[in-house]
Amino acid sequence: MRLTIIGPSGSFPGPAGPASCYLVEADGFRLLLDLGNGALGTLQRHVDIYTIDAVYLSHLHADHCLDLCSYWVARTFHPDGGPKPRIPVYGPPGVADRMALAYGLDPDPGMRETFDFRELSPGTLRIGPFTATVDHVNHPVEAFGIRLEHDGAVLTYSGDTGACSELVELARDADLFLCEASFHDNREHPKDMHLTGSEAGEQASRAGARRLLLTHLVPWNDDERTLAEARSTYDGPVGLAVSGEVHEVTAGG
């Protein structure tokens, strides 16, 4: 599997990259994990946006889904050859109506003529060449983490979450754990919403993940402090997600 970081910023786009978006490729199949605000523009630096095969939305906060509105425009009104073929969009229950509302469309048909919306529930499904396992994670709205397996390699993406056992199981023995780290230790913050760097490290340690990549990095935070917090609780290789970086995910790390 090949992972390209499109947008590592949390809550809103930052000066070094857009909000949450990650491109995962295998066997010629291109899957987007989230499509947050600002991501569609940066995505065009890396691939032809009309070659995306599927989109997965972890939850329906704007910084994870709002650029699906722009993508709907791009796929629906292309001047050469008309609308592009429908592609699947996986998301929480109500995703189709929520995205129609975001763009001010009548829910019927909303964006359904461009996207084949498929509502998530905990369990395992096939997305192109990937075996995908999804489960609820700890966030104020319905939100999912995802585990992708291909050719023996495992990539886990947390989405937005506080600490929870479901996330640990999704990341069990993962070759790469792409995990949010939105908060700092020793600072007041809401419970059951996001992880600190040390909490992300703890989740990775409990899961036995082979490598940890911190993301959803809020622009007002000190990223080096986040990294230091994670290193205090996790002994494996750990880094910060950076827009434009490419990571090869192979079995055994």
Side-chain angles (χ1 to χ4, degrees):
M1 283 184 282
R2 178 183 174 97
L3 168 69
T4 303
I5 307 299
I6 305 300
S9 189
S11 300
F12 57 95
S20 298
C21 184
Y22 313 91
L23 172 65
V24 184
E25 300 173 90
D27 294 346
F29 189 93
R30 289 173 168 165
L31 169 65
L32 288 182
L33 302 179
D34 284 335
L35 195 50
N37 40 334
L40 190 65
T42 301
L43 181 64
Q44 294 172 75
R45 300 176 191 169
H46 300 278
V47 295
D48 178 346
I49 60 172
Y50 300 106
T51 64
I52 298 301
D53 296 291
V55 179
Y56 160 90
L57 302 177
S58 64
H59 65 292
L60 298 177
H61 281 156
D63 59 321
H64 292 259
C65 71
L66 198 59
D67 262 25
L68 192 74
C69 293
S70 300
Y71 197 34
W72 173 76
V73 173
R75 294 193 72 93
T76 303
F77 299 107
H78 195 286
D80 297 328
K84 299 299 180 182
R86 289 173 85 219
I87 61 170
V89 173
Y90 300 85
V95 58
D97 287 351
R98 176 67 68 84
M99 297 317 303
L101 178 64
Y103 202 79
L105 300 172
D106 188 316
D108 185 14
M111 298 181 181
R112 290 180 175 88
E113 294 176 344
T114 298
F115 299 126
D116 176 15
F117 288 99
R118 302 180 186 184
E119 296 187 346
L120 295 169
S121 60
T124 299
L125 66 154
R126 292 290 295 183
I127 302 178
F130 305 106
T131 298
T133 302
V134 299
D135 204 352
H136 287 123
V137 290
N138 190 9
H139 204 52
V141 300
E142 188 168 13
F144 290 85
I146 187 168
R147 175 187 180 95
L148 295 173
E149 300 179 54
H150 177 267
D151 198 23
V154 177
L155 166 65
T156 297
Y157 169 50
S158 65
D160 280 8
T161 183
C164 61
S165 60
E166 293 85 354
L167 180 61
V168 171
E169 289 309 310
L170 288 171
R172 181 71 61 194
D173 298 324
D175 296 293
L176 179 61
F177 183 17
L178 181 63
C179 186
E180 75 117 283
S182 308
F183 290 152
H184 282 322
D185 291 333
N186 304 316
R187 181 183 289 175
E188 291 277 339
H189 54 75
K191 293 184 180 297
D192 299 326
M193 181 176 288
H194 292 296
L195 298 169
T196 66
S198 65
E199 288 172 333
E202 288 170 354
Q203 299 282 280
S205 293
R206 288 179 59 198
R210 294 183 176 89
R211 184 156 54 114
L212 174 62
L213 192 62
L214 304 172
T215 194
H216 205 264
L217 304 169
V218 182
W220 56 55
N221 280 350
D222 178 347
D223 292 346
E224 291 303 315
R225 176 177 168 182
T226 301
L227 185 60
E229 289 178 359
R231 285 177 171 155
S232 74
T233 57
Y234 176 71
D235 292 333
V238 56
L240 300 169
V242 175
S243 183
E245 281 193 348
V246 177
H247 300 265
E248 298 295 337
V249 186
T250 57

